Amino acid sequence: MLFSRALIPTVKEAPADAVNASHTLLVRGGFIRKVGAGFYDFLPLGLRVMRRVEAIVREEMDRAGALEILMPAVLPAEYFKETGRWDRFGDTLFRLKDRKGAEFNLGPTHEEIVTDIARREIRSYRDLPKNLYQIQTQVRDEPRPRGGLLRCREFIMKDAYSFDATEDGAKRSYEAMRVAYTRAFDRMGLTYRLVAADSGAMGGVLSAEFQVLADSGEDAIVACGSCDYAANVEVATVKPSAAAGEGEAAREKRRVHTPGKSSIDEVTALLGVPKDRMLKSLLYTAGSETVMAVVRGDHEVNEVLLARALGAADVFLATEADVKKATGADVGFAGPSGFGGRILVDRAAAAVANGVTGANETGWHVADVNRGRDWNGEIHDLRLAATGDPCPRCEGGKLQSYRGIEGGHIFVLGTHYSAQMGASYLDENQEKKPLVMGCYGIGISRLVATAIEQHSDADGIVWPMSLAPYHVHLVTIGKEPVVAEAARSLHDDLLARGVEVLWDDRDERPGVKFKDADLLGIPLRVTIGAKSLASGNVELKPRSERDPKKAELVPLAAAAEKLQSLVRAAPGT
RNA sequence: CGGGGCGUAGCGCAGCCUGGUUAGCGCACUAGACUGGGGGUCUAGGGGUCGGUGGUUCGAAUCCACUCGCCCCGACCA
């Protein structure tokens, strides 16, 4: 491709609304342009990268035996109404009406539609297993699109759905997807962790996220430094360590006056006790119930774990009024000792001896309280895991916190949708049974940005070969006909060898071309100028090499073959 | 949805507080000249319903009201 004939509108200045590297560089490099909040144009270069992601994902899905289909982006409302998600999705669902007033929604995901295919087309256990996938535009009216391609209202997703006769079969399908995803993410050159994830209100059995590590990520995850334990903090648990005051003799409970001191910091400062002696007591609303969650003063409540422990879909921190009603005291003076309602306590807090906590009376705390004698509660894992916490799986391992971008999610759904929608099969005994389903997503367009979050420097993008819009960026310097002739022959030779090349043939100064080359991030840069060409050479430099002096001189005649072998040898291609 | 902020040329911004010539700067763009290995220099140009509507005023980019859009933090995120 000739640069002069392409549409690659690079700009020097970052867009005002870009806050992270991928957004800035995708816009500056002319890969994408914003159309509206959460909607983007993919310009030629951006589309080429996305096609690479798609191709890798498609290859790995096909290798795993999945079958590509395409479902509509516009869906009659009846499908989401059938499963109740018409209401449950709330404002996130884009709704529209046709000319007759019939209701539709844009597809945010396609469980209903694929289940409809299954109930119509799958009859027998002999038809199983099946895994159907599509690469399709998905639309969700996100409350807050952000980060350029990282969180859009319209995005490209690969979503796959497996159908099995049994739970065991579903696990095999899930495992096949885990392998396929691992291969795909490896080929894309991404550094990621496969983490245990919340299976949500769907009652899923197995659920894991492919979290691509990036400081700009929206998700918090923890991973063990010693074993392979890794989990979204939403579901991460922690091995209990030695409790504060363990083994101490229980002292007599006493009331302490703490006027105006409602926070852990204030109370520990006033009383001179360490934070891990405090029993932090928070009130949550779960459905119509108000419950107390107790964690140690130096810990935080994990609301997902709390909701799970309660069997609730969601919990919300109680309002000020609810706290007063439940405890009889202002916010900041709640405690399990003497509390009348349901109490859930984290393991670590449960073990605290001679603890300090709120007295359920404004301006008062109680000290030297002990569980069993002064209070009680249901013991669960309720605390948020953090860096330095002991790994729940191995001996001696410490958890480390990371930020991640969810690049993929694999999930055994069970029979949630199939039972609801009547998607069943007949087994060997003529017995009708619901299909056991799994679903598996990869954020195709998001991964374009995610790759840049991991592969860029101060000058621009550094694409892995497998995702690069072109393999070779050919830069010609000067107007001498010999230079253009050499470039033309190399360009044609590369094309004949299946190497994709972008030739910057513009009448621009060398500095402009080099800056643009660094910005675009094509992995191999070949410079042809009169200087080196005089000795029959061209200059070769990988984008990952920062120092231009380290460019390698390669005889023009040997350049194409050398480049071809470099492209072939690159991982993931 | 709560809090904060921004809409002025294709992009990035100043001007607004304290209303008053022809609305300005940098980049980009057009033409010419010089230049030619890391975003070069000079000359001459083109490009604006100042987000929209209404109001105040002799006069509004500037003040007021409403409205639309966008961004950031939070909530939310099958």
Side-chain angles (χ1 to χ4, degrees):
Chain A
M1 170 60 70
L2 298 186
F3 203 125
S4 63
R5 297 172 70 174
L7 178 65
I8 306 174
T10 61
V11 290
K12 287 186 197 173
E13 285 185 278
D17 56 7
V19 295
N20 52 38
S22 65
H23 190 186
T24 301
L25 295 174
L26 282 168
V27 173
R28 284 196 53 214
F31 291 82
I32 61 169
R33 286 292 185 261
K34 183 163 78 175
V35 173
F39 301 102
Y40 285 87
D41 290 319
F42 280 79
L43 299 183
L45 237 41
L47 185 60
R48 287 182 73 93
V49 176
M50 186 150 71
R51 294 287 186 240
R52 300 266 204 227
V53 176
E54 282 178 17
I56 289 172
V57 169
R58 190 173 271 123
E59 277 176 34
E60 296 305 333
M61 291 303 293
D62 291 347
R63 190 197 308 276
L67 306 165
E68 185 168 7
I69 60 171
L70 186 61
M71 293 178 272
V74 180
L75 311 174
E78 60 192 81
Y79 293 94
F80 273 60
K81 283 183 173 170
E82 187 175 354
T83 59
R85 294 212 293 182
W86 179 261
D87 296 320
R88 206 145 14 92
F89 246 100
D91 291 335
T92 303
L93 201 62
F94 256 107
R95 298 158 207 264
L96 57 158
K97 285 181 180 170
D98 71 5
R99 63 177 75 207
K100 290 179 292 194
E103 292 180 301
F104 292 81
N105 67 278
L106 301 179
T109 172
H110 284 73
E111 280 83 0
E112 283 83 354
I113 313 306
V114 80
T115 304
D116 178 61
I117 293 175
R119 72 179 162 189
R120 283 186 287 143
E121 316 302 343
I122 296 178
R123 305 268 151 65
S124 155
Y125 70 96
R126 292 185 208 178
D127 298 330
L128 300 173
K130 284 280 182 288
N131 185 329
L132 303 177
Y133 79 97
Q134 66 172 347
I135 293 176
Q136 165 69 296
T137 297
Q138 309 285 355
V139 190
R140 300 177 191 177
D141 194 356
E142 289 286 347
R144 193 175 147 213
R146 66 184 106 181
L149 253 32
L150 289 175
R151 187 167 206 83
C152 284
R153 289 199 280 179
E154 180 184 299
F155 55 98
I156 307 290
M157 182 163 88
K158 186 285 300 173
D159 50 326
Y161 306 88
S162 64
F163 300 91
D164 281 273
T166 64
E167 196 71 39
D168 279 348
K171 283 180 185 164
R172 281 191 295 276
S173 293
Y174 173 92
E175 176 60 17
M177 285 295 100
R178 189 190 64 75
V179 171
Y181 276 35
T182 300
R183 291 183 61 103
F185 279 69
D186 285 344
R187 286 181 63 186
M188 290 186 269
L190 299 168
T191 303
Y192 62 93
R193 287 286 199 140
L194 181 55
V195 310
D198 185 24
S199 40
M202 293 292 122
V205 189
L206 280 170
S207 172
E209 294 166 346
F210 283 73
Q211 287 282 354
V212 182
L213 303 185
D215 291 339
S216 55
E218 293 185 293
D219 294 330
I221 63 178
V222 290
C224 178
S226 307
C227 73
D228 65 354
Y229 179 77
N232 193 307
V233 286
E234 289 181 343
V235 298
T237 55
V238 169
K239 181 175 289 178
S241 42
E246 199 164 14
E248 274 182 14
R251 292 192 289 265
E252 198 175 328
K253 175 180 163 186
R254 58 197 167 90
R255 271 160 55 88
V256 288
H257 196 37
T258 53
K261 309 293 184 191
S262 57
S263 72
I264 296 288
D265 284 339
E266 289 167 344
V267 175
T268 52
L270 177 73
L271 300 180
V273 297
K275 282 191 194 180
D276 61 9
R277 286 292 181 124
M278 294 287 301
L279 300 172
K280 190 194 291 190
S281 309
L282 300 166
L283 288 142
Y284 279 91
T285 303
S288 56
E289 195 182 10
T290 300
V291 302
M292 179 179 284
V294 181
V295 296
R296 232 165 59 180
D298 56 333
H299 294 158
E300 300 295 330
V301 171
N302 182 329
E303 296 183 2
V304 172
L305 290 183
L306 177 63
R308 271 195 183 178
L310 287 164
D314 261 319
V315 294
F316 302 94
L317 208 50
T319 62
E320 224 166 288
D322 287 341
V323 171
K324 277 192 176 174
K325 201 168 128 195
T327 67
D330 287 346
V331 172
F333 299 97
S337 182
F339 178 71
R342 187 171 174 191
I343 299 172
L344 287 85
V345 56
D346 177 62
R347 284 178 207 292
V352 170
N354 295 318
V356 177
T357 190
N360 298 316
E361 185 180 341
T362 303
W364 290 89
H365 278 72
V366 286
D368 295 332
V369 295
N370 288 279
R371 191 174 61 84
R373 185 190 71 183
D374 304 313
W375 64 283
N376 232 319
E378 307 160 36
I379 299 176
H380 296 277
D381 284 312
L382 293 183
R383 58 175 282 216
L384 210 51
T387 292
D389 281 336
C391 173
R393 186 174 296 168
C394 74
E395 225 26 78
K398 294 274 185 224
L399 297 180
Q400 174 71 41
S401 297
Y402 300 94
R403 303 296 298 182
I405 299 166
E406 184 183 353
H409 196 162
I410 56 177
F411 195 172
V412 174
L413 284 169
T415 56
H416 182 87
Y417 291 96
S418 52
Q420 216 169 0
M421 295 183 65
S424 54
Y425 68 98
L426 279 187
D427 71 7
E428 302 91 316
N429 308 313
Q430 307 264 13
E431 214 176 309
K432 194 167 158 185
K433 290 185 172 164
L435 292 160
V436 184
M437 293 174 57
C439 72
Y440 319 91
I442 290 182
I444 301 282
S445 50
R446 172 183 280 182
L447 283 180
V448 172
T450 303
I452 298 172
E453 293 294 325
Q454 287 194 341
H455 300 289
S456 71
D457 61 24
D459 294 317
I461 304 169
V462 187
W463 290 113
M465 188 66 77
S466 57
L467 299 184
Y470 291 92
H471 302 129
V472 173
H473 192 133
L474 178 56
V475 175
T476 43
I477 296 194
K479 288 179 174 169
E480 290 84 351
V482 282
V483 170
E485 280 159 25
R488 167 58 65 187
S489 79
L490 178 57
H491 172 269
D492 293 350
D493 197 354
L494 287 171
L495 282 189
R497 292 167 184 270
V499 175
E500 294 171 18
V501 53
L502 177 66
W503 172 13
D504 192 345
D505 61 328
R506 295 175 299 171
D507 180 18
E508 288 287 356
R509 299 172 64 87
V512 173
K513 293 190 176 188
F514 290 140
K515 287 289 184 190
D516 273 346
D518 288 344
L519 178 60
L520 299 185
I522 293 167
L524 297 169
R525 189 180 84 191
V526 174
T527 306
I528 304 184
K531 221 184 268 179
S532 47
L533 198 58
S535 51
N537 290 316
V538 301
E539 297 150 54
L540 169 61
K541 187 187 81 66
R543 173 61 181 86
S544 53
E545 172 54 59
R546 300 294 306 273
D547 185 357
K549 294 188 192 70
K550 295 239 176 95
E552 180 190 355
L553 286 179
V554 178
L556 174 63
E561 192 177 348
K562 168 137 192 151
L563 290 163
Q564 183 184 22
S565 67
L566 284 172
V567 171
R568 283 204 178 144
T573 50

